[in-house]
């Protein structure tokens, strides 16, 4: 069935949700070259903060992750204290250090400015991660298999065969649905996001544990894949 036919076959509740989740530039089910182009233009944080829409998009992302306790601000320590503790002595262990920072992009930037939509994202700087000896942290070359995209394509193909039907959906905040695994990881966050009590207590170079599987971490895809596999098994779905 065509995308429009599938849309018409949905319940009123499903249509309402789908319309709220999608852009309003065209009717749901309409496919164009621009739809497939998925134009997403980077915007500097400085420029994004000059606009109400940019500030709102970034604030929304920060607040979402802070409410989820993606990083544990109540366990804050000074960077050098943690680094020395992990480098030698009775509590010696492998520890990674990185930073969390924001990104901003403009969707539909090829269209009139009235159609622009700012998207904020807060990520882990995976390409600048160090360990307790101040050397570069080492990660495996391939963090995850490429099976998810293939599975979605197979589903689309089979659903279009005679007598079949199907649907798939993007996961909301996918990676952060699970906790970060592996090596203990501490992060710096921008000073404008520090809790007020950090400043009151006089922290100079504070770091706090990264709890959730944040976008940008070199193994984020792997931990998400493991989470999916565990979830499938819990619902008795075949993981092959």
């Amino acid at each position: 069935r065509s995308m429009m036919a599938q849309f018409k076959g949905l319940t009123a509740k499903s249509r309402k949700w789908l319309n709220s989740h999608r852009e309003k530039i065209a009717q749901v089910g309409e496919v164009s070259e621009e739809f497939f182009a998925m134009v997403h233009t980077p915007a500097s944080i400085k420029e994004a903060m000059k606009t109400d829409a940019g500030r709102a998009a970034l604030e929304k992302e920060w607040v979402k992750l802070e409410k989820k306790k993606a990083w544990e601000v109540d366990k804050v320590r000074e960077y050098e204290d943690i680094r020395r503790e992990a480098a030698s002595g009775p509590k010696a262990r492998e520890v990674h250090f990185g930073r969390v920072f924001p990104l901003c992009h403009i969707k539909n930037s090829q269209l009139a400015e009235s159609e622009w939509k700012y998207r904020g994202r807060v990520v882990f700087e995976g390409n600048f991660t160090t360990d307790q000896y101040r050397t570069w942290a080492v990660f495996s070359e391939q963090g995850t298999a490429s099976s998810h995209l293939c599975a979605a394509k197979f589903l689309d193909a089979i659903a279009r065969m005679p007598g079949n039907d199907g649907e798939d959906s993007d996961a909301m905040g996918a990676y952060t649905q699970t906790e970060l695994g592996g090596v203990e990881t501490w992060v710096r966050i921008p000073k404008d996001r520090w809790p007020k009590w950090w400043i009151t207590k006089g922290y100079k170079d504070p770091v706090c544990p990264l709890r959730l599987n944040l976008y940008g971490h070199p193994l984020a895809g792997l931990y998400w894949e493991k989470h999916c596999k565990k979830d499938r098994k819990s619902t008795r779905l075949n993981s092959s």
Side-chain angles (χ1 to χ4, degrees), residues 187-201:
V187 294
R188 294 180 174 93
I189 61 177
K191 195 166 185 177
D192 62 304
R193 305 307 302 192
W194 288 13
K196 290 182 179 179
W197 61 270
W198 281 17
I199 300 173
T200 302
K201 288 196 172 185

Side-chain angles (χ1 to χ4, degrees), residues 215-235:
Y215 294 92
H217 191 282
L219 299 180
L222 174 64
Y223 298 135
W224 166 246
E225 185 177 272
K226 289 182 175 180
H227 171 70
C228 288
K229 187 174 182 180
K230 182 180 178 181
D231 190 61
R232 286 199 305 270
K233 286 185 175 180
S234 69
T235 56

Side-chain angles (χ1 to χ4, degrees), residues 127-167:
N127 64 324
F128 201 86
T129 308
T130 58
D131 64 14
Q132 68 274 22
Y133 302 116
R134 295 198 183 96
T135 58
W136 296 116
V138 179
F139 300 95
S140 60
E141 288 294 322
Q142 183 179 3
T144 181
S146 57
S147 58
H148 286 153
L149 184 58
C150 291
K153 289 182 176 180
F154 272 117
L155 175 61
D156 288 341
I158 294 172
R160 283 163 174 74
M161 292 181 179
N164 291 343
D165 199 357
E167 64 181 69

Side-chain angles (χ1 to χ4, degrees), residues 7-221:
F7 176 68
K8 290 180 178 178
L10 296 174
T11 64
K13 183 177 181 181
S14 296
R15 286 199 300 271
K16 182 178 180 181
W17 177 87
L18 192 56
N19 268 320
S20 68
H21 188 63
R22 286 183 171 274
E23 306 298 336
K24 307 298 192 303
I25 296 173
Q27 292 293 320
V28 173
E30 181 179 330
V31 179
S32 65
E33 291 180 354
E34 288 185 345
F35 176 86
F36 286 112
M38 296 185 289
V39 178
H40 219 54
T41 302
S44 71
I45 300 302
K46 183 178 179 180
E47 291 301 315
M49 292 299 287
K50 292 180 181 179
T51 68
D52 292 338
R55 286 194 300 272
L58 289 166
E59 183 66 16
K60 179 181 178 181
E61 180 71 3
W62 277 113
V63 170
K64 180 186 74 174
L65 292 174
E66 287 168 348
K67 285 184 176 180
K68 283 186 170 184
K69 295 185 178 180
W71 42 88
E72 300 178 282
V73 296
D74 56 325
K75 296 182 180 179
V76 62
R77 299 273 304 276
E78 289 287 359
Y79 161 75
E80 194 59 26
D81 291 344
I82 286 289
R83 192 199 67 76
R84 288 177 178 174
E85 176 183 284
S88 62
K91 294 185 178 181
R93 62 197 185 278
E94 185 177 8
V95 173
H96 287 171
F97 298 96
R99 79 176 178 113
V100 169
F101 69 100
L103 295 173
C104 190
H105 290 77
I106 304 173
K107 292 185 67 175
N108 309 322
S109 58
Q110 81 281 14
L111 302 178
E113 191 170 345
S114 60
E115 302 292 353
W116 290 5
K117 189 165 187 178
Y118 285 82
R119 294 287 193 183
R121 178 63 62 87
V122 175
V123 301
F124 177 80
E125 191 177 23
N127 64 324
F128 201 86
T129 308
T130 58
D131 64 14
Q132 68 274 22
Y133 302 116
R134 295 198 183 96
T135 58
W136 296 116
V138 179
F139 300 95
S140 60
E141 288 294 322
Q142 183 179 3
T144 181
S146 57
S147 58
H148 286 153
L149 184 58
C150 291
K153 289 182 176 180
F154 272 117
L155 175 61
D156 288 341
I158 294 172
R160 283 163 174 74
M161 292 181 179
N164 291 343
D165 199 357
E167 64 181 69
D168 51 34
S169 174
D170 185 23
M172 303 296 286
Y175 284 3
T176 54
Q177 289 181 17
T178 186
E179 294 187 355
L180 184 71
V183 178
E184 177 185 332
T185 302
W186 294 71
V187 294
R188 294 180 174 93
I189 61 177
K191 195 166 185 177
D192 62 304
R193 305 307 302 192
W194 288 13
K196 290 182 179 179
W197 61 270
W198 281 17
I199 300 173
T200 302
K201 288 196 172 185
Y203 283 101
K204 303 299 183 184
D205 186 15
V207 291
C208 56
L210 181 61
R211 188 179 73 87
L212 293 186
N213 185 36
L214 202 61
Y215 294 92
H217 191 282
L219 299 180

